[in-house]
Amino acid sequence: MSLPQLLYCHCAYARVVPAEVKQEVLRRLSESGRSFDAVADLCEMSAKCDPSLEKLGGRSELKIAACYPRAVKWLFASAGVTLAEDAAVLNMRTQTADEIIAQLLEGEPSSSAEAEE
């Protein structure tokens, strides 16, 4: 079984996501050793119909850390991209950094020591 693809949105322009949550999620993702894609702002990408949204959103087993799931799905749809049915959108506006990280890295070892056990 392959690991899910991870996408992190920094929500740089709307400033609706608590700064401490998005900074903590980004820090812990970076420290996890997992590869992930980070974008400055999905809203801006959607408004500009950025072609990279198709690559980012078209993957199966995708987990997105951003804001409200309905908004994220609409942003992709507005840019002409359909998210895979199994895509999971985690809401940094309403969830804690701990909740987001737990769901992003669910089922993965949290350190190399645990991986060896």
Side-chain angles (χ1 to χ4, degrees):
M1 182 172 118
S2 64
L3 293 174
Q5 302 293 316
L6 306 179
L7 174 59
Y8 167 84
C9 176
H10 198 63
C11 300
Y13 302 112
R15 296 191 179 137
V16 295
V17 173
E20 60 277 358
V21 172
K22 64 184 179 180
Q23 290 167 357
E24 181 69 7
V25 169
L26 181 58
R27 182 185 70 76
R28 291 175 60 188
L29 268 176
S30 297
E31 290 174 352
S32 75
R34 273 292 312 272
S35 65
F36 65 97
D37 291 300
V39 298
D41 198 281
L42 285 172
C43 293
E44 179 188 42
M45 293 175 76
S46 174
K48 293 181 176 182
C49 293
D50 188 315
S52 61
L53 282 175
E54 188 170 348
K55 178 185 173 211
L56 293 169
R59 302 178 290 190
S60 62
E61 297 186 46
L62 176 64
K63 292 183 180 182
I64 304 170
C67 67
Y68 291 106
R70 68 182 181 276
V72 172
K73 290 174 185 175
W74 181 87
L75 289 170
F76 278 92
S78 177
V81 177
T82 303
L83 284 174
E85 286 189 30
D86 64 353
V89 180
L90 309 173
N91 190 345
M92 292 192 293
R93 288 179 79 169
T94 61
Q95 293 178 273
T96 67
D98 287 340
E99 291 170 333
I100 298 289
I101 290 298
Q103 291 176 354
L104 286 175
L105 303 177
E106 183 176 41
E108 298 179 33
S110 60
S111 71
S112 58
E114 285 181 81
E116 295 172 5
E117 291 178 0

